[in-house]
Amino acid sequence: MTAIIFAAYLIGSIPFALILARRWGAIDLRQAGSGNLGAANVMRATGVTAGAVVAALDMAKGAASVWLAGRLSSEPAAPAVAGLAAIIGHIYPIWLRFRGGKGVATACGAFAVLAPAAAVPALALFVSVVWLTKYISLGSMLASIALPPLAYALGSSGAVVAAATAAAAIIIFRIDSNLTRLLAHTERRIGARA
């Protein structure tokens, strides 16, 4: 299973945000806006289309890692561990000195496969919060917090609930700077340019 975890980490660490932002003509994304290598910062730096493409690709990384683990390993926990590895790869990519994105879109893709019944209401919460407040970080944080209890309540395996809990903890840790800006009323709302 070690090889599967490592492969999932490498898949997760593909920096689509950095690659596509450059293709769309943005400066180095690490020097723009929040400096984050995620879909929201791509959207601010280069536009909605690029941000949407990056979000889709980042979700695909998580989903692909889970799917491959399910196909290549007979261990029941392998897909959940692979999904978590992909999220960690996105947040801490080896190619970029372990400085990546927040992991939210990759987690969305992973848990859409691992726990679709829990991912749907968590995604609905994310969309609702972002719609009402225009803060992607707030929606991401609340959806991440909601995912583990939703997964547990809706009958996900122990491995999936543990992976959701670990993913939520890591994502919230990474969103900490956003929370500081939210409390200081300096966080950028959706649509604000970098």
Side-chain angles (χ1 to χ4, degrees), residues 135 137 141 176-187:
Y135 288 123
S137 55
M141 183 175 61
D176 180 60
S177 60
N178 299 85
L179 181 57
T180 301
R181 289 194 297 270
L182 277 168
L183 293 172
H185 304 289
T186 57
E187 176 75 331

Side-chain angles (χ1 to χ4, degrees), residues 8-147:
Y9 169 83
L10 292 179
I11 291 169
S13 69
I14 300 169
F16 287 122
L18 187 65
I19 294 165
L20 292 180
R22 284 180 178 167
R23 185 172 181 85
W24 257 278
I27 60 170
D28 187 334
L29 201 61
R30 292 166 292 187
Q31 308 301 320
S34 65
N36 181 52
L37 295 180
N41 204 33
V42 171
M43 183 175 64
R44 290 186 193 106
T46 51
V48 174
T49 301
V53 171
V54 168
L57 289 171
D58 285 348
M59 285 189 281
K61 293 191 302 189
S65 297
V66 170
W67 181 82
L68 283 172
R71 302 285 282 183
L72 300 176
S73 176
S74 59
E75 294 190 40
V81 175
L84 183 59
I87 295 163
I88 292 170
H90 178 82
I91 296 170
Y92 302 108
I94 192 169
W95 332 107
L96 301 173
R97 298 182 180 179
F98 304 102
R99 184 184 169 200
K102 308 287 183 175
V104 177
T106 305
C108 182
F111 288 98
V113 179
L114 287 168
V120 169
L123 180 60
L125 175 62
F126 168 81
V127 171
S128 299
V129 171
V130 173
W131 179 266
L132 291 170
T133 68
K134 307 299 187 246
Y135 288 123
I136 293 175
S137 55
L138 184 59
S140 299
M141 183 175 61
L142 293 177
S144 298
I145 291 168
L147 183 63

